[in-house]
Amino acid sequence: LADVLSVLAEYEPREIEVEGLVYREGLNAIRIQGGVAGNVIPDAARVEINYRFAPDKTLDQAQEHCRELFPGHELTFVDLSPAARPGLDRPSAAAFVDAVGQEPQPKYGWTDVARFSEKGVPAVNFGPGDALLAHTDDEHVTAAAIRDCHRALENWLTA
């Protein structure tokens, strides 16, 4: 796997602007498997890679990008999910952004908004807390953030 790990180590994540938001792609090894015992050189190994791509690409384009990065390797694509465009060009999303009074930010990671986006249904990710803390040791949401979120939603629903 040395050549695969080299590609991952040297990979420069692209920053891509979509609807005024800048997305930073990621390509990371998330699992490596191989070997049968601690005293035997493995005859085979496998690496699982997570590619988080910006919403300027389709699933097919994301897969093609991976094939270009790892020529000569057998690739199996699992857990496929499209990226969600921000939808800020949709009147309903723009009205929501105006009502809640917060600056739109790109979403790094998957949520069900991608399913809606794929079907052409306007949807945005919105909630309390700092999305950059998700899945970290310091992940938390303050009571004040919950109250702010409630107030913003109330503003939107009563606008």
Side-chain angles (χ1 to χ4, degrees):
L1 296 178
D3 62 330
V4 171
L5 297 176
S6 260
V7 168
L8 294 173
E10 295 169 8
Y11 187 75
E12 292 289 333
R14 294 182 288 181
E15 289 190 350
I16 297 165
E17 186 174 324
V18 178
E19 295 178 27
L21 302 179
V22 178
Y23 291 82
R24 184 173 185 266
E25 297 190 323
L27 185 73
N28 300 286
I30 58 170
R31 186 173 294 122
I32 298 176
Q33 299 172 319
V36 294
N39 62 344
V40 178
I41 296 172
D43 63 344
R46 184 180 115 163
V47 62
E48 190 172 330
I49 297 169
N50 180 283
Y51 176 39
R52 295 202 176 189
F53 54 95
D56 67 323
K57 286 179 199 56
T58 65
L59 281 174
D60 289 339
Q61 291 167 329
Q63 290 174 341
E64 184 56 34
H65 180 64
C66 290
R67 286 185 193 96
E68 291 168 359
L69 290 171
F70 304 104
H73 288 277
E74 180 182 328
L75 303 181
T76 303
F77 295 95
V78 297
D79 195 19
L80 299 173
S81 175
R85 295 189 67 82
L88 298 175
D89 56 346
R90 306 297 277 288
S92 55
F96 178 79
V97 170
D98 287 343
V100 300
Q102 295 181 14
E103 184 73 26
Q105 300 292 321
K107 174 70 174 120
Y108 298 114
W110 188 89
T111 70
D112 284 323
V113 165
R115 294 182 204 268
F116 291 115
S117 180
E118 186 178 33
K119 304 259 185 233
V121 177
V124 297
N125 289 294
F126 179 77
D130 182 351
L132 295 178
L133 293 177
H135 310 298
T136 68
D137 291 341
D138 194 32
E139 180 176 14
H140 67 280
V141 176
T142 65
I146 293 171
R147 285 190 292 274
D148 290 344
C149 183
H150 179 267
R151 205 169 9 263
L153 288 172
E154 192 171 52
N155 288 341
W156 175 59
L157 292 170
T158 59

